[in-house]
Amino acid sequence: ATVWRERLAEQVFPTYVGKEVFEDVVRQAYLRHRMARGLPAVEEWSRWEGVDRDRRPVEIDVVARLLDGRILTGSAKLRQRAADATVLREHLGALQRLAASGRGWAREALRPGSPLLFVSGAGFKESFSEVAGELDHPLITWTVDDLF
């Protein structure tokens, strides 16, 4: 118990929850709240992890094919700091790198009208909203409270 409390809990548990569990909680919340919140229906929900053409790692937490054919992408993180504009720009940059690497779904996700879903445990800074307002993508932003 002491080893867990003093050495492992702070390192292992947040990583496990953040990577293995939180994305599934977001998926379940989306499916549960979809109709009440007027969200588009999902055909297939997934995530993507790999490398771009330059062999740089890329991770997209949310990749979902919608019933209307569009691609929903986004980020689901248990952040301790509010998400800022950098989070949104990095996500779009990752999609651009993947599209340039021949990933058709990433090219589709960059099309105007393709929705973005961002979940941040600590909320969002004003800079996130400012950059989001410049995009041609419907944006869904949730905090942990929105999941339950």
Side-chain angles (χ1 to χ4, degrees):
T2 302
V3 170
W4 170 260
R5 195 173 46 252
E6 294 180 12
R7 300 269 173 116
L8 298 177
E10 289 184 20
Q11 297 169 12
V12 176
F13 188 68
T15 300
Y16 172 75
V17 171
K19 187 163 179 81
E20 304 298 327
V21 177
F22 193 61
E23 291 172 11
D24 194 49
V25 169
V26 169
R27 179 190 62 80
Q28 290 176 30
Y30 185 97
L31 298 175
R32 186 174 58 253
H33 297 305
R34 186 191 72 73
M35 290 185 64
R37 296 181 183 177
L39 301 171
V42 172
E43 179 180 326
E44 182 181 4
W45 190 282
S46 187
R47 66 180 318 278
W48 196 90
E49 190 171 351
V51 295
D52 64 13
R53 72 167 32 154
D54 297 323
R55 310 298 298 162
R56 291 185 299 171
V58 181
E59 181 180 329
I60 307 289
D61 298 333
V62 175
V63 178
R65 170 75 61 187
L66 303 176
L67 284 180
D68 64 12
R70 294 178 298 163
I71 299 287
L72 166 83
T73 63
S75 171
K77 302 283 190 238
L78 271 174
R79 296 175 176 90
Q80 294 186 3
R81 293 181 298 162
D84 60 13
T86 303
V87 171
L88 185 50
R89 287 187 184 116
E90 286 176 353
H91 177 76
L92 294 172
L95 288 176
Q96 290 166 345
R97 289 175 22 225
L98 290 172
S101 299
R103 303 287 177 189
W105 64 266
R107 210 172 8 264
E108 292 177 56
L110 288 167
R111 291 182 185 152
S114 294
L116 300 169
L117 170 64
F118 285 83
V119 184
S120 173
F124 300 88
K125 290 186 177 181
E126 189 174 319
S127 66
F128 185 98
S129 300
E130 290 171 357
V131 170
E134 300 169 4
L135 301 176
D136 290 330
H137 296 272
L139 184 66
I140 305 160
T141 54
W142 287 350
T143 64
V144 173
D145 293 338
D146 295 307
L147 300 176
F148 302 101

